[in-house]
């Protein structure tokens, strides 16, 4: 599998999780493309690495359970 396809898979996974968390694709996309203070980058850009994806997934999990990030 090429690096590009791995990144595409990560981005697709992240987008699906964000939609599940925020309820709509519009809200998910807005969150994914906005600079995140905790991450120091946009969540979508973090999906370029496996470790970055894990950090974003942690934040989405906290948000899903009503936590504040």
């Amino acid at each position: 599998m090429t690096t590009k396809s791995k990144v595409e898979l990560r981005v697709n996974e992240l987008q699906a999780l964000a939609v599940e968390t925020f309820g709509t694709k519009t809200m998910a996309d807005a969150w994914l493309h906005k600079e995140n203070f905790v991450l120091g980058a946009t969540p979508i850009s973090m999906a370029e690495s496996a470790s970055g994806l894990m950090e974003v997934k942690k934040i989405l999990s906290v948000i899903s359970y009503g936590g504040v990030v």
Side-chain angles (χ1 to χ4, degrees), residues 7-20:
V7 171
E8 289 172 357
L9 287 173
R10 286 198 219 51
V11 167
N12 291 340
E13 178 184 359
L14 185 56
Q15 288 175 324
L17 187 56
V19 168
E20 184 179 316

Side-chain angles (χ1 to χ4, degrees):
M1 189 176 300
T2 66
T3 302
K4 183 178 178 182
S5 61
K6 286 181 183 178
V7 171
E8 289 172 357
L9 287 173
R10 286 198 219 51
V11 167
N12 291 340
E13 178 184 359
L14 185 56
Q15 288 175 324
L17 187 56
V19 168
E20 184 179 316
T21 301
F22 293 105
T24 68
K25 184 174 180 347
T26 302
M27 291 177 67
D29 285 344
W31 185 83
L32 287 169
H33 291 91
K34 184 178 178 182
E35 185 84 14
N36 184 287
F37 177 76
V38 173
L39 296 171
T42 61
I44 199 79
S45 70
M46 297 296 290
E48 292 179 13
S49 71
S51 60
L53 176 63
M54 290 304 300
E55 291 304 311
V56 177
K57 287 171 89 174
K58 287 179 193 175
I59 291 171
L60 287 171
S61 178
V62 169
I63 292 169
S64 290
Y65 288 99
V68 178
V69 179

